[in-house]
Amino acid sequence: MKKIQIAAMQASQVILGCMRIIEQGKNPVKVIETAYENGINFFDHADIYGAGQCETVFAEALAQTSIRREDIYLQSKCSIRPGVAYDFSKEHILRSVEGSLQRLKTDYLDTLLLHRPDTLMEPEEVAAAFYELEKSGKVRYFGVSNQNPMQIELLKTAVKQPLYFNQLQFGLKHTEMIDAGLNVNIPNQASHMQDGSVLEYSRINKMTIQAWSPFQYGFFDGPFVDNEKFPELNQKLKFYAEKYGVTASGIAIAWINRHPANMQTIIGTMTESRIKEVTEASDIVLSHDEWYDLYMAAGNSLP
């Protein structure tokens, strides 16, 4: 498993997202052990996943393994208040972190992300919360999720800690941040800039993009792998899977990993065999031509 140097962390390029860890019939202990045994040392949570139950179940399962807390990285997110709004207030951030620490049965989070942008954000409130959390040792590193460059710059007018991460949806059927950069000055739909050049911004500012829902198309419309709606893409995935001796899902992850932005990819599967499939492909380096071949098979074109 390839590791990425982020601050003082040697983080696995593949992250296990724990939103589905409370799925009925799954074995959380085995899921965590399988991920760790296959090189994943980074686990992603959020205070809203399962209304907090996902963090609780993860902690209970982790305690039944031989994995030491100091050998893994725990990340959680806050700001979404279900049925209410998004909330970047100091009070809410501090309360959310305390809840996550209790549920995860840990003294600190390696990483805290602000989950979705709060348009009523006061940067000074976020800065005050981050200062307290860092000073107390409860959070080591900070980042954001689903934010564009100007929202990040607004935060940075007050926040003094480096923002190391931005979680964004990205994959072979979510290539908008790539499309716009390839269609500059072209009057077509692909040239429409939706995110303020967040890909280039991230590279310039050394922010690690964490790609979420890498196998989805649309807005949670379903997986594209082995989906008859995408015959050309799946034909190419199968071709390269056979070439490299992995699965189509593994190639889809290898496509993300190949980008020089040095992204991490979040997988949400709770099936041990699929975790192995993805991690087995994590060290594959697609060629320049193979990357573009898959990009175009996904339905994109070059000007």
Side-chain angles (χ1 to χ4, degrees):
M1 168 68 66
K2 180 180 177 182
K3 297 296 193 296
I4 300 176
Q5 185 71 43
I6 307 170
M9 295 184 287
Q10 280 284 322
S12 55
Q13 189 160 32
V14 175
I15 298 171
L16 186 69
C18 297
M19 185 172 67
R20 298 185 180 93
I21 201 165
I22 59 174
E23 283 185 350
Q24 188 174 5
K26 301 300 180 183
N27 184 339
V29 175
K30 191 63 176 175
V31 167
I32 295 170
E33 288 178 335
T34 299
Y36 187 75
E37 289 165 2
N38 285 273
I40 295 176
N41 65 3
F42 205 108
F43 298 86
D44 176 69
H45 296 272
D47 58 356
I48 64 161
Y49 291 166
Q53 189 179 358
C54 292
E55 292 179 327
T56 299
V57 168
F58 178 90
E60 291 172 351
L62 181 66
Q64 297 178 56
T65 74
S66 60
I67 302 169
R68 300 184 303 169
R69 168 65 183 92
E70 58 267 32
D71 290 335
I72 61 173
Y73 301 113
L74 294 182
Q75 172 174 280
S76 196
K77 302 183 291 293
C78 71
S79 83
I80 299 177
R81 294 171 59 197
V84 183
Y86 303 146
D87 191 346
F88 279 14
S89 67
K90 175 184 176 182
E91 178 185 12
H92 179 69
I93 293 171
L94 295 178
R95 184 171 61 245
S96 295
V97 170
E98 287 298 331
S100 289
L101 292 175
Q102 291 175 21
R103 290 187 295 270
L104 288 167
K105 292 183 171 58
T106 185
D107 296 328
Y108 67 96
L109 294 175
D110 294 284
T111 305
L112 174 69
L113 307 186
L114 299 176
H115 206 161
R116 284 208 174 261
D118 173 15
T119 193
L120 300 181
M121 170 190 71
E122 300 286 351
E124 294 77 14
E125 290 246 335
V126 177
F130 282 11
Y131 173 79
E132 285 193 22
L133 291 169
E134 182 181 53
K135 184 178 180 181
S136 65
K138 293 178 179 178
V139 176
R140 295 184 172 179
Y141 304 106
F142 299 87
V144 298
S145 180
N146 305 297
Q147 294 202 26
N148 66 37
M150 293 309 293
Q151 290 168 325
I152 297 168
E153 286 297 307
L154 178 58
L155 270 173
K156 288 164 67 174
T157 61
V159 171
K160 302 307 179 186
Q161 292 80 6
L163 298 175
Y164 286 105
F165 304 92
N166 192 0
Q167 271 191 20
L168 299 163
Q169 187 168 15
F170 182 66
L172 273 163
K173 292 301 294 181
H174 268 280
T175 59
E176 290 80 7
M177 71 173 79
I178 297 285
D179 304 340
L182 292 175
N183 287 269
V184 173
N185 203 36
I186 305 294
N188 59 18
Q189 181 60 35
S191 68
H192 179 61
M193 182 65 70
Q194 300 186 67
D195 50 36
S197 297
V198 69
L199 176 61
E200 291 78 14
Y201 176 89
S202 300
R203 295 181 71 180
I204 291 168
N205 288 277
K206 302 294 188 288
M207 290 186 76
T208 298
I209 291 174
Q210 295 180 339
W212 58 267
S213 289
F215 304 121
Q216 293 280 320
Y217 71 96
F219 193 73
F220 296 111
D221 290 342
F224 59 79
V225 177
D226 296 329
N227 189 324
E228 61 183 12
K229 291 183 178 180
F230 310 106
E232 183 180 357
L233 175 56
N234 278 286
Q235 183 181 10
K236 289 291 184 181
L237 288 170
K238 182 179 179 181
F239 172 80
Y240 289 118
E242 291 176 352
K243 175 180 177 179
Y244 286 102
V246 294
T247 64
S249 295
I251 293 298
I253 295 295
W255 184 84
I256 296 173
N257 292 348
R258 170 62 178 83
H259 198 281
N262 221 21
M263 304 179 194
Q264 290 179 292
T265 303
I266 304 171
I267 60 170
T269 181
M270 293 291 111
T271 303
E272 292 97 70
S273 59
R274 291 208 66 200
I275 292 173
K276 291 178 181 178
E277 290 172 4
V278 170
T279 55
E280 285 172 357
S282 64
D283 292 323
I284 291 173
V285 180
L286 297 173
S287 73
H288 187 278
D289 293 354
E290 290 169 342
W291 189 93
Y292 273 103
D293 192 26
L294 285 162
Y295 174 76
M296 289 185 282
N300 300 298
S301 60
L302 299 177

